[in-house]
């Protein structure tokens, strides 16, 4: 399973935020501040639906690359 999104709450001020595109490297990830937990859930679901095709393609490409790396390993 590949994590593409994470909702978190900061311990200092209890603000909720969402990190998107977690399957990508750090420079390509995004962060969004949420007005509440409920709004974070709604926004996360909308984001996932909107970006579903792109995410699926990127994850499939990543899995193909990993399979090729495993195949080329010599122990």
């Amino acid at each position: 399973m590949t994590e593409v999104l994470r909702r978190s709450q900061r311990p200092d001020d209890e603000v909720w935020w969402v990190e998107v595109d977690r399957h990508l490297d750090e420079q390509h990830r995004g962060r969004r501040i949420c007005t509440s937990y409920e709004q974070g859930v709604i926004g996360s679901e909308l984001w996932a639906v909107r970006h579903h095709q792109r995410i699926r393609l990127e994850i499939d490409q990543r899995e193909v690359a990993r399979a090729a790396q495993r195949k080329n390993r010599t122990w």
Side-chain angles (χ1 to χ4, degrees), residues 44-75:
S44 297
E45 290 172 355
L46 290 172
W47 176 86
V49 168
R50 212 171 33 249
H51 294 275
H52 178 263
Q53 288 182 323
R54 175 184 60 84
I55 293 167
R56 180 78 266 159
L57 176 64
E58 291 169 352
I59 291 172
D60 289 346
Q61 290 171 342
R62 187 169 156 176
E63 289 174 359
V64 166
R66 284 183 178 170
Q69 286 176 339
R70 282 192 299 272
K71 184 178 177 184
N72 292 329
R73 284 187 189 154
T74 56
W75 298 95

Side-chain angles (χ1 to χ4, degrees), residues 19-67:
E19 187 174 17
V20 296
D21 286 325
R22 296 226 1 115
H23 61 292
L24 302 176
D25 57 27
E26 289 232 8
Q27 69 184 24
H28 292 100
R29 294 178 185 175
R31 283 193 174 182
R32 311 285 189 271
I33 300 293
C34 308
T35 56
S36 68
Y37 173 80
E38 293 78 15
Q39 288 299 313
V41 170
I42 292 168
S44 297
E45 290 172 355
L46 290 172
W47 176 86
V49 168
R50 212 171 33 249
H51 294 275
H52 178 263
Q53 288 182 323
R54 175 184 60 84
I55 293 167
R56 180 78 266 159
L57 176 64
E58 291 169 352
I59 291 172
D60 289 346
Q61 290 171 342
R62 187 169 156 176
E63 289 174 359
V64 166
R66 284 183 178 170

